[in-house]
Structures are given as C-alpha cells and as structure tokens.
Amino acid sequence: MVHFSTSTQHQCREKRKGHNSSLRPAPRAADHTASRAAGAAPALAAETRRDASAGLYRGRRCRMESCFDFAQCRKNGFKVYVYPQQKGEKIAESYQNVLAAIEGSRFYTSDPGQACLFVLSLDTLDRDQLSPQYVHNLRSKVQSLHLWNNGRNHLIFNLYSGTWPDYTEDVGFDIGQAMLAKASISTENFRPNFDVSIPLFSKDHPRTGGEKGFLRFNTIPPLRKYMLVFKGKRYLTGIGSDTRNALYHVHNGEDVVLLTTCKHGKDWQKHKDSRCDRDNAEYEKYDYREMLHNATFCLVPRGRRLGSFRFLEALQAACVPVMLSNGWELPFSEVIDWNQAAIIGDERLLLQIPSTIRSIHQDKILALRQQTQFLWEAYFSSVEKIVLTTLEIIQDRIFKHISRNSLIWNKHPGGLFVLPQYSSYLGDFPYYYANLGLKPLSTFTAVIHAVTPLVSQSQPVLKLLVAVAKSQYCAQIIVLWNCDKPLPAKHRWPATSVPVIVIEGESKVMSSRFLPYDNIVTDAVLSLDEDTVLSTTEVDFAFTVWQSFPERIVGYPARSHFWDNTKERWGYTSKWTNDYSMVLTGAAIYHKYYHYLYTHYLPASLKNMVDQLANCEDILMNFLVSAVTKLPPIKVTQKKQYKETMMGQTSRASRWADPDHFAQRQSCMNTFASWFGYMPLIHSQMRLDPVLFKDQVSILRKKYRDIERL
C-alpha cells in the first residue's frame, strides 16, 4: 500500500519526543547506500576516517539536558556571543552574513561573560575538502579557543559536509558537545531537541529582507500549465544518482516535465550514457524560471547531499515542493508542520508520484500554496531570518515554560514576531482572536505624550484630555510627562469621569512613549500628541473601526512614502494624495502588544536614532506594524485640521514647521528600510467613514453626526 501524505516526518518526531525509540523511523534505502559509501572511503586516510567518526558521532547522544548548561542563560537571558575574527582567517560572504545577522540581533552580546550561546568566527559553512572555502586545520584552531569548553553551549553552522565520493555528514573536526545548525542532515544523524536542521541556501541569498513570494493572487482553480516539474543535474554514478537517473520514467513532456542533464563536470563525456545526448537536447528547450512559475508542484529530489537549492526556489515560487530525499530531516522540522506546505514522497515509489499528486483536491493545493508563501516570507527569504529562526528555536528549548506553540510557528505572523516573553496566552496577541473565537476588550487606554509645560488652562492638551475622557470606550488616560519642567500639581488637571495617571518619563526620550507600561490594562492604546485636536465623536468612531482590525494601526493623520528615482532613495510626503501608507501615532489606535514589540524587537540603533533626533518614532512604529501584518494601516474619516490650528502655540508644533524636521524624516525612512532589508510600508486607497457620512438624510438619523460639523 502506498502511503503518500504530507510529511509523515512530523508525526514521527512527535513520537520521538516521547523518547520511544521503537517508533523512530528506520533508515531508508538511500541511508543504507550512504552508510555503505561512508564505510568504503578509500580516498580517506585511516586517521581522517577516525576524525570523521569522532567529529560527528562522539556527541551523538547529546541532548539539551545532557550537553547544555542552562545556568548562564537563566541568569542573564538568551545572549549570543560571536568570537572576534582572528587575523589572517578568511570568512566567505555567506558566513559573514550569518555572523552579521547575529551581531545585528537583539540577542547579541560582546561580553562572553553574559553569553548563553557561543558562535565561532571560524568559517564552518563549507566543510567539503575540495572547496576553495574549506578552512584547513580547523580542529587545532577550535581546540585552542579558551572558551571552547569541549563545545558546550556552542552552535556550529554548516551547509556542506563530506566530499567526493561518499559525501558523509562529517564536518571535519571534533564538535564535542556543540549543537549543529546544519543543512542536508539526515534523520539518522539528527539529534532531536539539540541540533537544528536548516535549509541549503546559495551564496546569493540576501542577508536581510529578501524578495517576497511570487504568489500575487489566488487563482481558482489553483492549477497551472504544468502539474509537476524539475530541471537539474543528473549523476551517472555514485551517491544520489539513483533517483535522478530514474526521472525519465515519469516525464511525459506535457504536464509532467522532468529534465536532467549529464553535461556538468570536466569529463562528463567520458562517463555519458546512451540517454545523455537526448536528455541534454530536451533540457535546453525549457526555461527553468518559466517552468517554476507555471507549475503546481515542483519535484525536489536529493542531489549528492540530501538538501537542494530547489527546496527554497520552489517555496518562493509558490510551487508546492514534492520531496524525494529519503531520510532528510526537513528544515526547522522541530517547529514547522510541513504537512501544511509540502508533499513528502518516497524515492522507492517514484512511479506513483504523478497519480498521487493528481488525486490531491484543489482546496488542498490552494492551502498548500498559500502556506509556502507564509513560510518563505516568515523564515526563509533571507539569511537573517534563517539565523534568527535557529536562535529562537534554541531559546524556546531553554525557556520551555514560555515557548511558542505550533499554532504560533505555523500561522501568520509567525514565530519571529510573536514574542512569548510578552505572554504565553494567545488571546493576549492581536493575531489570534478569530482562531480563539474572541474579541478585543471593548475599552481603550489613552496615552498622551506631553512635552510642553502646563502654563494655561486653555492649552490644547487639557482640551484633548477632556474630549477623550468623555468617550464611552475610554477606560483610563495616561499622561506621559516628557517635559523638562516638574510635574504639574494634581489640581492643574481637569476633573474627569475616568482615572488620569501621570507618569514622569525617566529618560525623557521619544521612544518612551512606546514603552510597555504596566498601567496599560486594555488591549487598545489610543496614542496622542499633546497638541492633537480630536472630538469625542472622532475618538469613538476610530475605536469602533479598530475593533474590526485589531492587528492594524487605525487613525487620522495619514502620510505616504514614495521612491525618488532621481535621488535613488525613499521619500516621505505629507501631501494630500489618493493614497497613504502611514497613519501617524499622534492620533491613532493600535494593540498594546506593539509597545512590547517596539521596545524588545527593534534594535537599540534605531531607537537611539529616534531619541537623538526626537523625531521619527511614529514612522518607525508604522514600519514595524506593516512588517508584521503585511498590511497597510487604516485611515478613518478625513479631517484637515489635525494640528494646523495649534501651529505656533507650542514648542512641539513649531518642530513641524522646521524644515530640518522634514529632512530628518526623509533620512529616517531610508535608515529604517535598510535595517528591515526592504520597504515594509504598503499603500492603501481605503478610508473608512461612518455609514450615512455626508449622505442627504437628516442629521438626526446619523450616529456620528458631529464628525460632519468638524
């Protein structure tokens, strides 16, 4: 009986977690082949073979409980130290990108005494002895490191291991008790809950950001020109040759197009078989990109090693991967449910693949395709995301009591944006209300950012406070006093029906308005500048809109970004146009989780820039929320007089008329886009007005009638 489902590997792993070794999947045919090849490696000297065995297998029984010291992590939190680069040591660009991703993350520490995890500066990515990137004498170099400690609490990144002819999974030195973040790792050698399986990525894989997935819209039915495609090398002999050599049996030249070429390597003609010339001619007829983008399923057979570049290429192209690599521990298998995004085939049952994928229902194909796009953008589109996902998986193991569950990892926005330190309850995040059948709390907390001394009872901040307090949805008002002058006496504040809490800003910096204050007890935050002009009706309407879009920023003052071709940089504009991409936090509602994310996810460099300029914090918050949601903010009913009436009356308003202020915001746009690795802001042409707004009916019939009088 043919069992052809989306990944059985996930099910097996769940069983392994229960430490029932009898349920561990047996090695498959390809694994036995690899084992025989490893045992008969005439090219390796006896000493090298001993090192190979020691390097991979000495710590074979390592698990977090036996080979990892939790004490330092629980003392200082999850901090990662990267060894300083040694003089004369070359580091390939791919490994430089790995190290840069760590050093640019919130986990990085330059103090080894604070570190929970250590990463070598010695390049371990390519351990193929025939590769120009191969680092010689790595064993002695690693052993000489005074913090090595037999690899304990160390993480080693590796893409290529072993070499011709057997391509074993040895990395060429004794890793001791170190964890491996390794591509093409087999289930046989993978140490569950210790190693991390990562995808094979090319040297051109972007360091940050990365391209979006290629699925621009959902076609119904979800079938494309080709049902199943592959285009790649064919190996005539040796490990990994069996599957690719047999693909011609399935190729029909119509909707199943599986193309191979033996035209690679220096002396391919010496070894070519009777099919080579015909295969090569057929191979040249098709464009790989065209096939990729017009196929429903993409075959991902093993190469010399278990992993393949085809895997990430298929994910990005929204071409459902059909895996043909027996015994491969799929990337991030500990947290990603590949049942939802891929088909796991069996190399021994190649001939049954076409009929099996034809039997998959169109609804399932659409769901699989959509999941490929989510996974690509969440975890695989850049080296940074691959590295951060690896680190987050390890952090979850260390702090199991607050680790992310499967729903978080496998549903938008993904594990990198949902920080379990904030809460272990899904209902505290704005992304899962529908899954849980919940709605956000029906009240909000207003946070007014005050930077001007209180000298008159007619000041805008007091009028604003009274208007907001009258809202039926207002639970409390927090005034963040970021003014250099002392706090005003209690009697200076107007009497209101809701509590007014005045907090003195400790550092008086702009980013402090987005700190996750314990005083904020509601889901929603109404963020306000002190000179904002809003009526109670406007506040009420904006909040009712936000309740339908709790993951987004909803508010009044809109701004936009654009690409300036002449300057080749991003521009910022406040002009009234037909679209917008930002809603400024001087009058906006959003979920309080974004305070936590702003404070703990964003790097200190961006927050320090905001604080030094005393500017751009609102732009940075918009970048963050759009990066998480992949959606634009929502503008509610237009009102031209957002702050204009207050110009010249306050110190803050005078900044808006300052030309330097505008130039700074242009500069911020480009600095933020550079850190994110792409432009996350998204344009929208949607504005939400109250029903009956401006309609020719009696004003008495309108719920938000005051808005029309503004």
Side-chain angles (χ1 to χ4, degrees), residues 81-87 103 119-122 145 147:
Y81 174 76
V82 176
Y83 283 82
Q85 188 173 347
Q86 299 178 12
K87 285 185 179 179
E103 291 168 351
V119 175
L120 303 177
S121 63
L122 295 163
L145 299 171
L147 296 171

Side-chain angles (χ1 to χ4, degrees), residues 442-633:
S442 57
T443 54
F444 66 80
T445 297
V447 178
I448 302 176
H449 187 229
V451 295
T452 309
L454 212 54
V455 294
S456 162
Q457 290 304 108
S458 63
Q459 271 181 237
V461 66
L462 300 182
K463 294 179 183 177
L464 178 64
L465 197 148
V466 170
V468 172
K470 289 179 181 176
S471 169
Q472 60 183 306
Y473 305 112
C474 183
Q476 59 180 357
I477 298 173
I478 294 174
V479 178
L480 177 61
W481 191 253
N482 264 355
C483 177
D484 294 332
K485 302 294 183 183
L487 280 173
K490 278 189 178 181
H491 71 272
R492 299 288 303 278
W493 301 102
T496 60
S497 59
V498 298
V500 176
I501 304 164
V502 183
I503 299 175
E504 183 157 18
E506 290 181 20
S507 50
K508 311 281 186 183
V509 293
M510 293 300 288
S511 290
S512 64
R513 72 183 299 174
F514 297 138
L515 286 172
Y517 295 105
D518 291 337
N519 308 76
I520 301 174
V521 294
T522 58
D523 292 330
V525 174
L526 170 60
S527 175
L528 298 163
D529 287 342
E530 61 177 12
D531 50 356
T532 295
V533 181
L534 275 184
S535 70
T536 305
T537 307
E538 287 175 301
V539 170
D540 283 353
F541 178 63
F543 181 69
T544 59
V545 171
W546 176 85
Q547 286 180 298
S548 296
F549 304 95
E551 76 281 14
R552 301 209 225 176
I553 298 176
V554 174
Y556 287 94
R559 299 291 185 267
S560 192
H561 74 287
F562 64 95
W563 179 254
D564 188 332
N565 276 319
T566 57
K567 296 180 180 177
E568 293 192 339
R569 66 199 302 261
W570 293 106
Y572 169 90
T573 180
S574 56
K575 290 180 180 177
W576 289 62
T577 62
N578 286 307
D579 57 29
Y580 64 93
S581 57
M582 289 171 275
V583 167
L584 303 186
T585 54
I589 301 174
Y590 49 79
H591 197 282
K592 70 175 180 178
Y593 174 59
Y594 291 122
H595 276 210
Y596 188 89
L597 207 57
Y598 184 101
T599 302
H600 294 286
Y601 176 81
L602 293 173
S605 59
L606 296 189
K607 290 178 287 189
N608 290 341
M609 178 185 181
V610 162
D611 295 340
Q612 287 165 9
L613 295 174
N615 195 353
C616 302
E617 82 289 350
D618 46 1
I619 297 176
L620 184 53
M621 179 61 92
N622 273 271
F623 265 71
L624 177 62
V625 176
S626 286
V628 175
T629 61
K630 308 290 190 291
L631 294 167

Side-chain angles (χ1 to χ4, degrees), residues 23 65 73 128 441 478 595:
L23 293 172
E65 296 75 18
C73 309
D128 185 334
L441 295 175
I478 294 174
H595 276 210

Side-chain angles (χ1 to χ4, degrees), residues 339-363:
N339 285 304
Q340 299 180 30
I343 306 298
I344 311 302
D346 188 320
E347 294 177 66
R348 298 165 298 187
L349 303 175
L350 170 65
L351 299 182
Q352 298 181 15
I353 285 179
S355 59
T356 305
I357 61 174
R358 289 184 200 282
S359 69
I360 298 174
H361 196 274
Q362 292 180 4
D363 292 352

Side-chain angles (χ1 to χ4, degrees), residues 647-681:
M647 283 298 180
Q649 294 187 24
T650 69
S651 60
R652 179 171 173 81
S654 64
R655 287 199 311 113
W656 290 84
D658 181 358
D660 286 344
H661 175 83
F662 192 77
Q664 287 171 353
R665 291 171 85 75
Q666 302 273 6
S667 178
C668 287
M669 295 280 293
N670 290 279
T671 302
F672 298 163
S674 174
W675 184 81
F676 279 92
Y678 71 110
M679 171 51 75
L681 298 178

Side-chain angles (χ1 to χ4, degrees), residues 318-390:
C319 185
V320 179
V322 178
M323 314 306 302
L324 270 190
S325 185
N326 290 12
W328 181 24
E329 187 75 20
L330 292 180
F332 305 137
S333 51
E334 188 172 330
V335 296
I336 292 178
D337 180 4
W338 286 108
N339 285 304
Q340 299 180 30
I343 306 298
I344 311 302
D346 188 320
E347 294 177 66
R348 298 165 298 187
L349 303 175
L350 170 65
L351 299 182
Q352 298 181 15
I353 285 179
S355 59
T356 305
I357 61 174
R358 289 184 200 282
S359 69
I360 298 174
H361 196 274
Q362 292 180 4
D363 292 352
K364 178 67 172 174
I365 293 173
L366 186 62
L368 289 165
R369 181 177 293 165
Q370 289 171 336
Q371 191 69 358
T372 65
Q373 300 302 272
F374 160 65
L375 293 176
W376 165 258
E377 293 187 15
Y379 307 120
F380 297 110
S381 65
S382 69
V383 175
E384 181 184 57
K385 286 177 183 173
I386 292 169
V387 170
L388 291 180
T389 304
T390 302

